[in-house]
Amino acid sequence: MDENLLAAAVVLRFYEELDYIPTDVAIRGLHVFIEAQASLALSSTGLRYAAFWIGFRQEFHMAFSQQRPFRLPLDICDTYLLWDPAPDLVLVNRLFIIAAHAIQYCYKSDDHFIHTRYEELVTLRNRWSERRLPALLPVYSKPPEREQGLIFPQKWFLNDCHIVAEQTLSLGEILLIAYDPSVARIEPGQRIAMESTDARLKSTVLDICGTALSKRQEPTALLTACIAIGICGDRFTDLAEQEALMDIVINSVRDNNYWPSNALAEKLRKAWGWAV
């Protein structure tokens, strides 16, 4: 099948995201083309390979932001999820596969009640983290300085690929924190457990935002930050944190890539009780 058709489907899906109107039209076409070309894409280079992984990443971010199952078949990537040494780009693609499996665990049917599957995902996440190359780690990091009005931590990376890895790992962490089956639900320790969960989720979101702001020239990092804010933003009650998050949603995204952020900003204002 022509690789240009796959690339065209991915481009159409991108414009669907810009419209901010979730429909099934483009994803159905993308699904067909990805399934048909998966084996070739995973074993080749060039346009087909690039289009396949762009489409895969698009689906992950849309599934995460819409809190729905991953609509592309993950079994087509089974042979790709290996643990041998590989270039940074391949390692990041493998991380996306793990994160996509986490999406399925959280949002597909009753999978999130299966404790053994959760432990498998944690093991996969930990194994990837332990085996990632030192180059994927930040070359500089600094905790936030609240007394100076600095809400976000700072993390510097060597290139954009490493930023994608860090933020994707954190998005997966959000899923695993929120759907941890060991967290008490109605037991006496439920309130303390939920407070701990909220604190961990907020810390992870701030970390994602700090990574994005440390390199403003990378607009997709800001989009990833907005996705995290959209999912967890209502948990923030501190005014300084709320204002810092809103600044990312409104100013940073508008100035860098014109992403339609009005709907998210409106959602946050309502959640925080701001005047609208």
Side-chain angles (χ1 to χ4, degrees):
M1 184 176 288
D2 190 347
E3 61 187 12
N4 294 303
L5 294 176
L6 176 59
V10 170
V11 171
L12 289 173
R13 179 68 190 282
F14 170 76
Y15 282 107
E16 182 190 45
E17 293 179 23
L18 281 180
D19 289 338
Y20 206 76
I21 304 174
T23 70
D24 291 334
V25 176
I27 188 58
R28 282 199 296 267
L30 185 61
H31 191 151
V32 169
F33 292 128
I34 281 186
E35 278 199 282
Q37 302 196 42
S39 59
L40 283 175
L42 291 172
S43 60
S44 64
T45 58
L47 178 61
R48 180 179 282 109
Y49 180 88
F52 175 87
W53 283 111
I54 291 173
F56 193 95
R57 294 183 184 195
Q58 280 182 343
E59 173 60 12
F60 169 76
H61 287 116
M62 292 301 289
F64 185 97
S65 61
Q66 295 173 14
Q67 296 179 280
R68 60 162 174 78
F70 199 82
R71 292 174 178 167
L72 300 177
L74 290 175
D75 56 353
I76 60 179
C77 300
D78 286 346
T79 58
Y80 195 84
L81 189 56
L82 305 173
W83 303 106
D84 58 318
D88 293 350
L89 180 62
V90 174
L91 295 176
V92 174
N93 289 337
R94 291 172 181 172
L95 177 59
F96 269 99
I97 296 173
I98 296 171
H101 278 290
I103 286 276
Q104 294 300 72
Y105 168 80
C106 296
Y107 301 129
K108 186 177 180 181
S109 184
D110 294 328
D111 284 1
H112 54 274
F113 292 112
I114 304 175
H115 289 220
T116 54
R117 181 53 179 160
Y118 179 85
E119 295 301 327
E120 290 172 359
L121 291 170
V122 171
T123 299
L124 282 174
R125 187 273 315 274
N126 292 343
R127 190 174 183 184
W128 187 93
S129 297
E130 292 165 359
R131 289 173 176 261
R132 62 176 163 174
L133 300 174
L136 287 168
L137 298 171
V139 295
Y140 171 80
S141 60
K142 184 179 180 181
E145 298 178 337
R146 296 293 297 264
E147 64 279 2
Q148 298 184 21
L150 301 177
I151 303 299
F152 305 113
Q154 295 183 45
K155 287 189 175 183
W156 296 355
F157 293 86
L158 289 176
N159 61 44
D160 299 345
C161 178
H162 302 164
I163 292 175
V164 172
E166 180 73 9
Q167 290 189 312
T168 304
L169 191 64
S170 294
L171 290 179
E173 186 71 11
I174 287 175
L175 294 171
L176 294 176
I177 292 172
Y179 284 83
D180 184 349
S182 67
V183 173
R185 303 299 176 184
I186 57 175
E187 299 174 10
Q190 187 267 348
R191 182 179 62 82
I192 296 176
M194 294 309 296
E195 288 176 354
S196 174
T197 295
D198 271 2
R200 292 172 63 196
L201 287 172
K202 289 190 289 186
S203 176
T204 304
V205 171
L206 295 177
D207 195 64
I208 291 173
C209 294
T211 298
L213 292 175
S214 294
K215 190 176 182 183
R216 291 175 179 266
Q217 306 94 311
E218 174 51 36
T220 58
L222 289 167
L223 295 183
T224 303
C226 284
I227 290 173
I229 294 170
I231 293 298
C232 301
D234 62 330
R235 298 173 183 268
F236 288 85
T237 56
D238 180 83
L239 180 59
E241 292 177 343
Q242 291 175 348
E243 290 175 342
L245 294 174
M246 185 63 78
D247 181 69
I248 289 179
V249 172
I250 297 299
N251 299 318
S252 299
V253 176
R254 180 194 61 200
D255 295 343
N256 283 277
N257 48 34
Y258 309 103
W259 190 262
S261 57
N262 290 339
L264 175 55
E266 183 72 12
K267 170 187 170 183
L268 292 174
R269 290 190 184 98
K270 290 181 179 179
W272 294 337
W274 290 14
V276 295

